[in-house]
């Protein structure tokens, strides 16, 4: 749906006919009020308009993401996914008209109407204050970040209260990540570079063909990486310099952010050769996902998000989502819809599982009688990544990687879940309280809940055993060498493991695009299927836990332990790239070969029908009816070809089996033979 911006109408919204969305009287910690914003200063906001429903989107998402589905990899366009949740036209027009009335000259150029949301950019403070009947102020964070937000109440017209789900950019304050510069008690002197990860996980540093696109996502208008630092990183690691083809959002590398530097250097270093994008969102998860879905330049194949916060306290560093006019349940649900759209479009999303264990950053000394899931890692539409460290390390690369002549670089060994004492943080993991456990992980997770010793689980009342469980996978996350602020530094966090897995997935997407012309999309159904059918694709992590937080270990802390198989610390385990690559290649090639075989077989059958129709025997059906039978056979052939591609890991159907395939309603002919 695309609504044309109507001419300004003479509507008057009486001050008495309004609903207060939020009334801010207290500032979040570490934020300070500077003063009233100038009326001519500019700001932006987004309105999430009520959606018609999400059932059709969910069905489409599941179909294109399931390797056993006949619609696997048949991704949708931006227009198609948005139409599945499009707002009612009259409701949308009413909201548009209200926004338009509050804007002065050039409204059409500053209002973008999407199918279920409205984005307003470059609005003046004066315009926003009039629209929401509020006062805007300038605020600064302890780290220097400056934003424009309201103080006191802000409201919307009563008549639109049921049409607007929420807003971002008016009262919500940015959240800031914990530092990746750690000072653990027993810090290791073994460091990690991209070549370390290649040795550990089985990929080499030969650049992949630049067919797939990978991208780190930064949030809250965060500072970026420094281009000079990035160049020196490649000089020090001996890898060919990579280029960032597209940059979206604000970019300022003058005072580089260590986290953004880590994200960029390692998604590129692992996914070497893949095309690179870089994205900075002005807001939080909903704003990011909504903008990416509607990006006119398209979407990348793989995204890494090294950000997160308690799912019960989304979008504000105070206590809840009421600043947006919703609660956390509604915010998470609306954001998950955008994540689903991205998956339906073929985007693979990765998220860090968090650096404060099962308890989370909102309970740093473990005073609550519960563990806390982190969002977006707890979303059932992303792949959540936990972190490991060396339990025993083998070092090398000092003769081949320049920086490894200065630092000891690991090349292999035994991995365990990160610990506070060695890494200075604890890997997040647990169970969502807001979303149910998806079918694709039930077998693996229920096995964990059934067989894990009591020491590997918190008390039953501390977590939701029926919730979406995370992380899904893990990777090294400690002592990564980054080049930042003109020097080398060792950093760590699940914000190291997420871009590592994203780079691995970018390589796998490259294999998929080469084989079928399409990316892999949402990975989790494939990953859990692969773990069941080909366990060698992952290295199981069986030691460690996530009971501590990034602030320390306390007697009141509960959490999960690593065990054999999937666990809520390391997921399915760390990647074995060669096995992953082989599984994907065989699966997709098998499915593809079936499609080619069926297409050739049906083409031959169609030719026979046309020849017969040219000289029809008396009483036989017309060529039109015969060709209709070809069409029916083709539909059946597509169904059987995509459902039956791989019988088992690494095994294709024999020629005899292929010739004996049938399709629904077509009898026993080969590949949908005409009935």
């Amino acid at each position: 749906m695309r609504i044309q911006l109507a001419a300004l109408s003479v509507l008057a919204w009486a001050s008495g006919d309004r609903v207060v969305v939020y009334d801010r009287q207290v500032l979040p910690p570490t934020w300070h009020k500077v003063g009233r914003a100038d009326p001519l200063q500019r700001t932006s906001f987004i309105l999430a308009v009520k959606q018609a429903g999400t059932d059709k989107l969910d069905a489409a998402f599941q179909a294109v993401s399931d390797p056993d589905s006949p619609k696997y990899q048949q991704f949708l366009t931006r227009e198609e996914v948005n139409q599945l949740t499009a707002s009612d036209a009259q409701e949308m027009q009413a909201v548009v008209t209200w926004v338009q009335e509050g804007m002065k000259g050039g409204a059409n150029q500053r209002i973008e109407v999407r199918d279920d949301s409205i984005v307003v950019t470059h609005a003046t403070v004066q315009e926003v204050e009039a629209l929401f009947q509020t006062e805007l102020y300038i605020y600064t964070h302890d780290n220097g970040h400056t934003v424009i937000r309201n103080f006191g109440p802000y409201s919307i017209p009563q008549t639109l209260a049921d049409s607007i789900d929420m807003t971002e950019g008016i009262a919500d304050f940015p959240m800031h990540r914990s530092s990746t510069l750690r000072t653990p008690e027993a810090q290791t002197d073994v460091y990690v570079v991209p070549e370390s990860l290649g040795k550990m996980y089985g990929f080499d540093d030969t650049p992949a063909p630049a067919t797939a696109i990978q991208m780190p996502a930064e949030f809250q208008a965060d500072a970026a990486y420094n281009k000079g630092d990035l160049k020196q990183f490649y000089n020090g690691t001996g890898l060919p310099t990579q280029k960032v083809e597209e940059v979206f959002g604000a970019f300022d590398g003058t005072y580089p952010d260590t986290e953004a530097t880590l994200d960029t250097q390692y998604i590129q270093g692992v996914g070497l050769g893949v095309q690179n994008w870089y994205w900075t969102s002005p807001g939080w998860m909903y704003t990011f996902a909504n903008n990416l879905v509607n990006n006119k330049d398209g979407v990348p194949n793989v995204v890494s998000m090294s950000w997160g916060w308690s799912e019960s306290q989304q979008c504000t560093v105070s206590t809840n989502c009421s600043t947006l006019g919703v609660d956390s349940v509604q915010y998470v649900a609306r954001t998950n819809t955008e994540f689903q759209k991205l998956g339906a479009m073929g985007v693979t999303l990765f998220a860090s599982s968090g650096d404060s264990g099962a308890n989370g950053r909102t309970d740093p000394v473990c005073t609550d009688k519960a563990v806390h899931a982190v969002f977006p890692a707890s979303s059932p539409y992303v792949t959540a990544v936990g972190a490991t460290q060396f339990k025993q390390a083998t070092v090398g690369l000092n003769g081949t990687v320049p920086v490894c002549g200065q630092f000891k670089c690991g090349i292999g060994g035994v991995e365990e879940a990160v610990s506070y004492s060695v890494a200075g943080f604890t890997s997040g993991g647990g169970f969502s309280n807001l979303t149910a456990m998806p079918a694709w992980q039930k077998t693996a997770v229920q096995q964990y809940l059934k067989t894990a010793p009591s020491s590997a689980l918190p008390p039953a009342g501390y977590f939701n055993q029926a919730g979406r469980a995370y992380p899904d996978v893990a990777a090294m996350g400690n002592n990564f060498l980054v080049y930042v602020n003109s020097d080398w530094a060792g950093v760590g966090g699940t914000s190291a493991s997420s871009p590592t897995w994203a780079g691995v997935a970018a390589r796998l997407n490259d294999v998929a695009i080469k084989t079928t012309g399409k990316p892999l999309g949402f990975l989790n159904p494939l990953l859990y299927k692969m773990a069941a059918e080909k366990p060698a694709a992952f290295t199981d992590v069986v030691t460690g836990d996530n009971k501590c937080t990034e602030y320390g270990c306390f007697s009141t802390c509960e959490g999960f332990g690593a065990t054999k198989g999937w666990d809520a610390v390391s997921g399915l385990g760390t990647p074995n790239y060669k096995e992953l690559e082989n599984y994907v290649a065989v699966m997709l090639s098998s499915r593809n070969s079936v499609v080619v075989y069926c297409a050739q077989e049906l083409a031959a059958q169609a030719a026979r029908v046309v020849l017969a129709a040219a000289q029809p025997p008396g009483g036989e059906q017309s060529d039109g009816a015969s060709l209709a039978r070809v069409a029916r056979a083709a539909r059946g052939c597509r169904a059987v070809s995509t459902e039956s591609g791989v019988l088992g890991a690494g095994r294709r159907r024999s020629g005899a089996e292929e010739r004996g395939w049938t399709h629904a309603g077509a009898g026993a002919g080969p590949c949908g033979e005409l009935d």
Side-chain angles (χ1 to χ4, degrees), residues 437 441-451 465 566:
M437 186 182 299
Q441 69 170 181
K442 279 187 177 180
T443 300
V445 176
Q446 288 175 351
Q447 179 69 13
Y448 173 67
L449 293 173
K450 180 180 178 180
T451 61
Q465 296 188 26
W566 182 93

Side-chain angles (χ1 to χ4, degrees), residues 27 32-33 137-140 145-147 149-151 173:
L27 293 184
H32 313 279
K33 185 190 292 185
Y137 290 80
I138 299 172
Y139 299 90
T140 59
H145 188 181
T146 300
V147 297
R149 293 293 188 269
N150 89 309
F151 195 84
F173 278 74

Side-chain angles (χ1 to χ4, degrees), residues 92 136 141 150 255 260 460 480 505 534 550 596 612:
M92 177 64 81
L136 297 186
H141 189 265
N150 89 309
Y255 302 100
F480 278 44
K534 197 169 190 176
E550 62 186 340
V596 171

